[in-house]
Each structure stands twice: as C-alpha cells, then as structure tokens.
Amino acid sequence: MDRVAVKGLRARGHHGVFPREREQGQTFVVDIVLGVDTRPAASGDDLSRTAHYGIVSEEVVAIVQGDPVDLIETLAQRIADQCLKHEAVQEVEVTVHKPDAPITVPFDDVTITIVRSRE
C-alpha cells in the first residue's frame, strides 16, 4: 500500500470537556496518512484514480471546525470515517494534536493517533 500524507492541517475547533474549551475554542493540528494503491493513477496520470489530497484536507478542516465533541478520540474517528469515504483510500492513519490542551504542567503536545481501514 502506498502512502499519501498531509501533515500539519490547522483549524480552530471547540472540542473538549471544559466549558472554556467549548466557548473560546483552540487550534487543533491534524496529520493524515492515506493508504492508497497509486498504480492505477500513475499508469494513466489520472487524478480521478487516486485520493485528491486537497479535497480530503478541506474535509478534515471542516470536521475540526464543525460540531464539537468532548474527546479528541471522537474527532479522530470522525476524520478517519470521512477519509475512508473516498473510494481510493483503503486505510488511513489520523493524528490529532491538541497543543493547547488544558494541562497544568509544562508539555509540548497532546496527540491521539488511530489507524482505520476498510472492512
């Protein structure tokens, strides 16, 4: 399986369990790795036979900006589900970063990474 990756998608969302997170929002960063067999697209130089990473990226940002959820695990699952709606995508790895998580000690980042595939 070939991999098409988009790293560092940024969007403001209102996800989290605390009222402040829901009211003020915060920046989330998303990395996606799409498992795609790129041979059909490459052999015909045909975009319609692969995953259009520009469209997928726009969909990911729309999910982050969309309906709030409590957990970044839920957010990652929503993103994975959307990516798998694309016919060429057989597997997806989604990492959601929450760099401004409400933690009282110094930290660099909080992430969840999930891998989902077609069943």
Side-chain angles (χ1 to χ4, degrees):
M1 190 69 52
D2 304 317
R3 302 280 179 232
V4 176
V6 180
K7 306 283 183 162
L9 292 167
R10 296 182 186 281
R12 190 155 186 86
H14 293 264
H15 312 288
V17 296
F18 297 112
R20 186 182 117 262
E21 294 178 291
R22 291 295 183 105
E23 293 163 9
Q24 296 176 3
Q26 60 192 291
T27 299
F28 292 84
V29 181
V30 178
D31 305 324
I32 56 171
V33 181
L34 307 173
V36 179
D37 180 357
T38 62
R39 289 174 292 193
S43 69
D45 200 26
D46 184 354
L47 177 61
S48 70
R49 300 184 75 190
T50 189
H52 190 309
Y53 54 80
I55 291 173
V56 174
S57 297
E58 291 170 359
E59 293 170 349
V60 168
V61 166
I63 291 168
V64 174
Q65 293 173 335
D67 293 334
V69 295
D70 288 343
L71 305 176
I72 58 174
E73 292 86 344
T74 306
L75 183 60
Q77 184 64 54
R78 286 183 178 180
I79 292 168
D81 290 342
Q82 181 60 42
C83 291
L84 288 170
K85 289 181 181 178
H86 292 267
E87 185 177 335
V89 177
Q90 299 301 307
E91 181 179 273
V92 62
E93 177 181 296
V94 176
T95 301
V96 175
H97 302 257
K98 190 175 179 180
D100 298 321
I103 298 175
T104 61
V105 296
F107 73 101
D108 288 330
D109 200 3
V110 172
T111 67
I112 176 75
T113 300
I114 65 171
V115 177
R116 300 292 184 265
S117 59
R118 293 188 182 277
E119 297 189 28

